[in-house]
Amino acid sequence: EEYAGGAVRRMPAAPTELFLFSAESIVDLRARVGRLDTSDFASRTRAEFDPSAPVRLAVVASDPDDLEAKLAEAVTSAGNRPHPRVYLATGPASPGRVGFLFPGQGAQYVGMGGDLAVHLEPARTPWDRAAGLDDLDGGAPHRLVFPPPAFTDAERAEQQAALTATEWAQPALAVHSLALLAVLDSVGLAADCLAGHSFGELVALHAAGAYDADTLVRLARRRGELMAGESARGAMLAVASDRASVASAIAGRPDVWLANHNGSRQVVVAGTAEAVETVAG
């Protein structure tokens, strides 16, 4: 299948479907599953699902045989989780709050979101819309995210390098996030709170209503261009260590500093290109 001017030419792995079931008791659930025609559309089970029912079952399956096997396993487990893609809950539902966290630069990869774009129209629309923007100065994100098939390691490395370029990585991540948001919106899932890691803050602001999707893509492109213009003078390095150890290692170097504290075992340092290269060595 192709879209956005021939952007997608590769078929992903076999798609999966989400099936939802609700019942008054485990006995009722077993009876319903026993009567189920596994050729039913997954969307039908989702439409009939009652999230407030005492017994709730979610199954992710790839075909009727897979669904039948997982259902049989689920109804005999009596509440124990039988499979990573089978979720059985009983008692009052307590969904809690939903938060969306959007990724920053570095999360991009060639082909990201291709499975959704091929199978789900809401996921295609943001790529098509971005392809129609006439002020991205040099092309559209889908041409880098979904390039022609590569047959050698060198070609694959070249494609990844093109997408890693800051001026394209950021708008590509923006459109990919828009595609994911569109899919979540199509199934009625909304966030109670929003956050973004680094570049992802721009997407979080869009999702919160600060500006529209086209503005997000344009901002991402311009932000990437500005950062790319400074990259020749500076560099960043992700270090798999704790903050205290990294701070001690660069102490006394005015040309390198702590930039991001991403987690207990990852810190990012920034500085002049020469200094960061020395620290990396």
Side-chain angles (χ1 to χ4, degrees):
E1 185 169 341
E2 297 186 353
Y3 75 99
V8 168
R9 296 186 177 88
R10 289 169 289 181
M11 293 296 292
T16 56
E17 290 275 11
L18 172 64
F19 297 81
L20 298 177
F21 306 91
S22 53
E24 293 300 310
S25 67
I26 292 292
V27 173
D28 291 339
L29 179 65
R30 287 171 179 159
R32 180 176 180 194
V33 168
R35 297 190 303 267
L36 180 70
D37 178 357
T38 54
S39 65
D40 280 357
F41 289 115
S43 58
R44 186 181 307 168
T45 69
R46 296 196 294 268
E48 296 173 351
F49 179 71
D50 178 6
S52 64
V55 178
R56 304 167 300 280
L57 174 66
V59 177
V60 178
S62 57
D63 56 52
D65 290 339
D66 185 33
L67 173 62
E68 188 171 3
K70 287 176 178 175
L71 287 175
E73 199 174 358
V75 298
T76 58
S77 67
N80 295 319
R81 186 173 175 183
H83 190 280
R85 292 192 170 188
V86 177
Y87 305 86
L88 179 64
T90 59
S94 54
R97 302 179 71 200
V98 176
F100 291 169
L101 176 63
F102 299 98
Q105 187 173 344
Q108 74 281 346
Y109 61 91
V110 174
M112 61 181 180
D115 48 354
L116 292 177
V118 166
H119 295 287
L120 300 174
E121 184 172 352
R124 288 194 292 274
T125 302
W127 295 105
D128 290 336
R129 187 173 181 86
L133 295 177
D134 57 5
D135 52 358
L136 291 189
D137 188 26
H142 73 267
R143 298 192 183 280
L144 294 172
V145 178
F146 308 116
F151 299 99
T152 68
D153 290 342
E155 289 175 335
R156 284 185 283 271
E158 183 179 351
Q159 291 178 348
Q160 186 61 41
L163 181 58
T164 302
T166 302
E167 63 270 27
W168 284 114
Q170 295 191 20
L173 283 168
V175 182
H176 178 48
S177 293
L178 288 171
L180 296 178
L181 280 171
V183 173
L184 293 174
D185 183 65
S186 71
V187 298
L189 183 59
D192 297 299
C193 50
L194 302 151
H197 178 234
S198 190
F199 164 76
E201 293 177 357
L202 271 69
V203 186
L205 285 167
H206 156 73
Y211 37 73
D212 62 22
D214 290 353
T215 300
L216 168 62
V217 178
R218 292 186 175 104
L219 283 173
R221 171 63 175 175
R222 184 57 181 150
R223 184 179 189 271
E225 288 175 331
L226 291 172
M227 291 180 65
E230 295 296 319
S231 63
R233 296 191 297 168
M236 302 179 77
L237 175 70
V239 183
S241 184
D242 62 274
R243 178 172 181 163
S245 298
V246 175
S248 175
I250 63 174
R253 296 194 62 109
D255 48 1
V256 182
W257 56 91
L258 291 174
N260 287 352
H261 183 198
N262 290 341
S264 60
R265 295 292 299 174
Q266 190 190 78
V267 178
V268 177
V269 298
T272 64
E274 296 79 9
V276 170
E277 185 176 352
T278 300
V279 171

